Amino acid sequence: MTRQGSRTVVGLGAPDGSPSMAGRTVSEVRGVRLLDGTLANLTLAGGQITSVARSDAGPDRKALQRASASASASASASGSSNSGIRPDLGPTSARSRDECPSSADGSAGGAAAAAAAASAAAGGDVVDARGWRVVPAASEPHAHLDKALSGERIDYFSGTEQNDLPAAIAQWQRLLTTIDEADIRARATRAIERYVANGITSIRTHVDFPLSGDPLRGFVALKKVQRALEGVLTVQIVGLAGFHTPDTVIDEAIGLGLDVIGGCPHISPDPHRETTRMLDLAERTGLPVDLHTDEQVAADELDILDLAHQVMARGLQQRVTASHCVRLGSLPPERLRPVLDVVARAGLGIVTLPITNLYLQAWDATHLAPRGLTAVRAILDAGIPLAAGADNLRDPFNPVGRADPFETTSLLMTAGHLTPVEALAAVTSGPRTVMGLAPVGTAVGDASDLVLVPDVDLGDVLAGAVDARIVVHQGRVLSDTRTHRSLDLSGSASQDAAGPASAAPIRTLPALQPVR
């Protein structure tokens, strides 16, 4: 740490070093690598990126070597510590990275002076980020924080607890009778800590209205969590109403600050009636809508078509989201295209949830089991906003999961056949569009929600193989995780007098090329 005038210059150090950044406010990030391989200086102020200038600082080769060594083995990490633009994603990008504008007006001159002035005015630390690269912070567009981590109470190892969707619902209903507000609040807080440490700075969570006991206990618990994190983290709460939930309960939740109208028409005895009821509430209140939709493989009926037609007929202007949409993945192209045309005209967004739907769907298939995902490629080709998340986290609906956006990107590429660029967009820019939040990235005007990771191949990052992450929300560091390990692959328990065998040299990485 050094001083530069009135400001503190902080070196991030190595990915396997000691975490020390959590709680700091950052006004400038220097020498960081962008997605296209450019080294740049970013100035942050007022929750936004206010300038982007090319960095004349060459890469710190020793830091790059340490980053490479740390990241290449991080999938088998033995230890970790935690203290506690809009991506350039293809031809639709508004500006080439070669321009690298230095100020909000895009002027090319005076880059250093503009950056220095803005950084000084903003206050906070100047960060030397050589040896690190930056990706936009992720969002979780579909969580269930009231259910999260309840899997600790389920015996997954006896071989008897394997759930399809109806079985998971039944198991959760049994568990819910033993769960109170304090329980939900504690587990939700633990889950949020995992999300944040992994690079997520905004979360949309659904919450049940239980049939037994106080129907608002889950909502009240999450509302307390939301208020405790106000100004620190973005949390949106969706009321997950069932067909059995009285309007009076939903109205009470709205009066207490419910953010989004939600429900699950696809498991209602009358999906059309339930969709109508939820949109009636939205029309009356003006709140956004996010409905669980078509979460079955069989595509005999499509609730998303009813939703889209009703949205257009009513002229709803608020954001309306259809989550899951598994049935779309079962449609042949000639049936799918006209459906997506209607969805696009209605202005709906779609959320795909790979890990949970891969688990819940197709248990009855004897062979050629469907993947249980929506039609992600066709949705993107139709110009429909697509977001991706994990849905459930270690509960009856998903026994595993890491609360990690890069677990989701990995599945989008392997199971959904998206490109790396598309997968990254689906967990960064896509969710913020669906959630109605300011865009993230490394362009002037983007929200200053960033994740710094070791300057290694982006494929390692998207595969979830990089554990070292520094997470920034609106210019403030929320989490700093570093990893370190000790390995001995010599094949011998004894060592000669010369000491341990010399490690193979670490290959210094060249400047990274744009993802294709």
Side-chain angles (χ1 to χ4, degrees):
M1 184 183 303
T2 61
R3 300 290 296 178
Q4 187 178 79
S6 61
R7 295 180 298 162
T8 301
V9 179
V10 180
L12 291 186
D16 60 354
S18 298
S20 60
M21 292 297 296
R24 289 183 177 274
T25 299
V26 177
S27 62
E28 186 177 349
V29 182
R30 292 183 179 173
V32 73
R33 194 175 301 280
L34 305 183
L35 287 177
D36 66 355
T38 303
L39 290 175
N41 299 334
L42 310 180
T43 304
L44 319 179
Q48 292 185 331
I49 296 173
T50 55
S51 72
V52 183
R54 284 191 180 279
S55 172
D56 57 4
D60 183 334
R61 291 299 176 188
K62 290 184 178 180
L64 282 172
Q65 289 174 355
R66 289 194 296 267
S68 176
S70 179
S72 64
S74 61
S76 58
S78 62
S80 64
S81 299
N82 185 288
S83 68
I85 256 178
R86 181 167 21 223
D88 188 11
L89 299 176
T92 57
S93 175
R95 181 176 61 248
S96 166
R97 292 296 167 198
D98 292 338
E99 298 176 32
C100 207
S102 63
S103 61
D105 62 5
S107 59
S119 178
D125 296 332
V126 176
V127 172
D128 181 351
R130 287 177 295 173
W132 295 76
R133 70 179 305 160
V134 64
V135 296
S139 297
E140 175 51 72
H142 189 112
H144 289 267
L145 292 177
D146 56 335
K147 301 178 175 73
L149 306 180
S150 61
E152 297 165 352
R153 304 169 195 185
I154 300 169
D155 179 12
Y156 286 114
F157 301 98
S158 66
T160 61
E161 297 290 354
Q162 296 292 321
N163 292 336
D164 60 8
L165 180 58
I169 293 170
Q171 188 174 64
W172 169 243
Q173 292 299 334
R174 293 193 299 271
L175 273 178
L176 195 50
T177 62
T178 69
I179 290 173
D180 60 14
E181 178 190 320
D183 183 341
I184 293 170
R185 192 165 68 248
R187 285 185 292 99
T189 300
R190 287 169 51 210
I192 287 172
E193 290 171 352
R194 296 190 187 189
Y195 285 118
V196 171
N198 285 324
I200 288 170
T201 60
S202 55
I203 300 169
R204 172 176 283 186
T205 177
H206 298 251
V207 62
D208 285 17
F209 298 117
L211 290 170
S212 60
D214 180 2
L216 291 174
R217 65 183 184 274
F219 171 74
V220 170
L222 296 190
K223 196 67 184 176
K224 289 179 179 178
V225 172
Q226 181 190 52
R227 286 171 178 158
L229 293 171
E230 189 172 358
V232 177
L233 184 74
T234 301
V235 177
Q236 296 178 352
I237 303 176
V238 186
L240 182 54
F243 67 90
H244 46 68
T245 306
D247 286 354
T248 53
V249 171
I250 306 173
D251 284 336
E252 188 173 355
I254 291 169
L256 293 172
L258 185 70
D259 299 308
V260 183
I261 300 293
C264 40
H266 65 292
I267 57 173
S268 166
D270 187 342
H272 171 74
R273 180 178 180 181
E274 193 62 12
T275 298
T276 300
R277 185 168 76 111
M278 294 301 106
L279 293 183
D280 284 346
L281 287 166
E283 194 167 16
R284 175 164 58 84
T285 62
L287 290 176
V289 178
D290 190 338
L291 298 182
H292 288 56
T293 307
D294 292 321
E295 196 182 355
Q296 298 101 335
V297 171
D300 299 330
E301 298 179 6
L302 291 172
D303 299 329
I304 195 171
L305 271 178
D306 181 30
L307 176 62
H309 284 304
Q310 287 208 47
V311 166
M312 287 190 288
R314 294 166 183 260
L316 294 183
Q317 298 302 305
Q318 61 263 56
R319 294 181 184 275
V320 178
T321 302
S323 290
H324 295 287
C325 300
V326 173
R327 284 172 172 160
L328 295 182
S330 298
L331 295 180
E334 64 274 14
R335 283 191 62 194
L336 179 61
R337 276 192 295 271
V339 171
L340 293 183
D341 286 345
V342 175
V343 171
R345 283 191 285 116
L348 304 187
I350 291 178
V351 177
T352 185
L353 302 155
I355 189 169
T356 296
N357 283 131
L358 284 168
Y359 173 70
L360 289 175
Q361 310 303 322
W363 282 93
D364 56 346
T366 59
H367 62 288
L368 293 178
R371 295 186 180 186
L373 300 182
T374 193
V376 289
R377 163 64 51 219
I379 290 167
L380 287 177
D381 290 346
I384 297 167
L386 176 70
D391 196 0
N392 296 81
L393 174 64
R394 297 227 53 240
D395 63 27
F397 298 81
N398 176 17
V400 290
R402 301 195 304 265
D404 189 343
F406 299 129
E407 180 177 53
T408 300
T409 55
S410 177
L411 289 170
L412 287 172
M413 288 186 284
T414 55
H417 293 172
L418 294 189
T419 68
V421 166
E422 292 164 337
L424 181 59
V427 300
T428 56
S429 55
R432 292 183 72 96
T433 297
V434 167
M435 296 168 69
L437 302 176
V440 287
T442 52
V444 171
D446 286 338
S448 52
D449 282 33
L450 308 167
V451 181
L452 299 172
V453 296
D455 190 0
V456 297
D457 182 77
L458 189 60
D460 275 344
V461 178
L462 298 183
V466 176
D467 293 323
R469 303 176 196 183
I470 298 172
V471 183
V472 181
H473 174 57
Q474 295 185 353
R476 181 174 181 269
V477 179
L478 298 183
S479 176
D480 181 356
T481 301
R482 314 291 175 107
T483 60
H484 58 278
R485 63 189 49 81
S486 175
L487 293 172
D488 180 3
L489 303 179
S490 64
S492 173
S494 62
Q495 296 173 346
D496 59 25
S502 300
I506 301 298
R507 179 173 60 89
T508 300
L509 295 176
L512 299 176
Q513 298 301 311
V515 178
R516 303 190 190 281

